[in-house]
Amino acid sequence: MNHALTAAAAGFGTGLSLIVAIGAQNAFVLRQGVRRDAVLAVVGICALSDAVLIALGVGGVGAVVVAWPGAVRAVGLVGGVFLLCYGALAARRVLRPGTGLTTDGEAAGSRRRAVLTCLAMTWLNPHVYLDTVFLLGSLAADRGPLRWTFGLGAALASLCWFAALGFGARLLGRLLARRSAWRVLDGLVAVTMLGLGALLVSGA
């Protein structure tokens, strides 16, 4: 029992350390949380996607994917282009504030658009595969028969983080009611997206 708890705790800590870093997915969840726009759907997609990818990594799929480097490069190229486009939209909002920026969700766009964007942000981002399928998968393999317990801890960390980020972001609503604060947030999102997108495209 103690060994299982240790493996789960190790998976939780490792998973949390990987997903807390600022990235495209976290920036998107934060923005949706502040706007209170399809938060439950976005958090659910991110957490469930991570759980599926972690399970694939623990199951040894990472070693199989390595055999097709061309597929990895293709995902990187498509994901890079997507992030560049999203970053450009965020930069446009910085230059033209007041176009739908709200914290009440009324002008925040459709739920379908948020869901599709979240799916693309998650499944077209090669860094997600690197962290979950490859890195967590290899670390889980070292746990032997407790590898699935390690993976369960990592998946739980993902759920806790995205829930805290998405639903906790509304606490910033009063601060971000000011247009200048939204411009700062969109600026951070634009820099993050454009930087990651450029790296992915150049490395594809």
Side-chain angles (χ1 to χ4, degrees):
M1 183 67 177
N2 290 333
H3 292 296
L5 289 176
T6 300
F12 188 93
T14 303
L16 195 62
S17 66
L18 291 174
I19 64 176
V20 166
I22 297 176
Q25 192 180 44
N26 284 339
F28 177 75
V29 175
L30 177 62
R31 180 175 176 81
Q32 293 300 117
V34 170
R35 300 174 75 175
R36 303 182 186 183
D37 181 20
V39 180
L40 180 60
V42 167
V43 169
I45 289 171
C46 291
L48 181 60
S49 296
D50 271 8
V52 171
L53 291 170
I54 290 171
L56 292 176
V58 174
V61 173
V64 178
V65 176
V66 173
W68 287 284
V72 177
R73 287 195 296 270
V75 172
L77 180 60
V78 175
V81 171
F82 174 80
L83 292 180
L84 287 174
C85 293
Y86 194 89
L89 291 176
R92 180 175 179 270
R93 288 193 297 266
V94 174
L95 299 175
R96 297 179 56 186
T99 54
L101 294 179
T102 178
T103 57
D104 59 14
E106 293 179 358
S110 67
R111 179 180 298 270
R112 180 181 179 183
R113 182 172 60 188
V115 167
L116 291 177
T117 301
C118 186
L119 287 171
M121 196 77 67
T122 301
W123 291 92
L124 293 180
N125 186 356
H127 288 284
V128 174
Y129 296 93
L130 178 64
D131 290 343
T132 55
V133 177
F134 297 105
L135 185 53
L136 284 175
S138 63
L139 292 175
D142 294 335
R143 296 283 170 171
L146 292 176
R147 64 185 184 278
W148 287 106
T149 305
F150 179 91
L152 180 61
L156 180 60
S158 175
L159 174 60
C160 292
W161 169 253
F162 286 119
L165 187 63
F167 293 105
R170 65 185 58 187
L171 299 176
L172 301 175
R174 180 172 298 180
L175 173 64
L176 293 174
R178 293 177 295 179
R179 184 175 300 178
S180 59
W182 275 102
R183 296 185 72 178
V184 172
L185 177 61
D186 277 323
L188 291 174
V189 171
V191 170
T192 301
M193 303 297 183
L194 292 175
L196 289 175
L199 286 175
L200 292 176
V201 171
S202 63

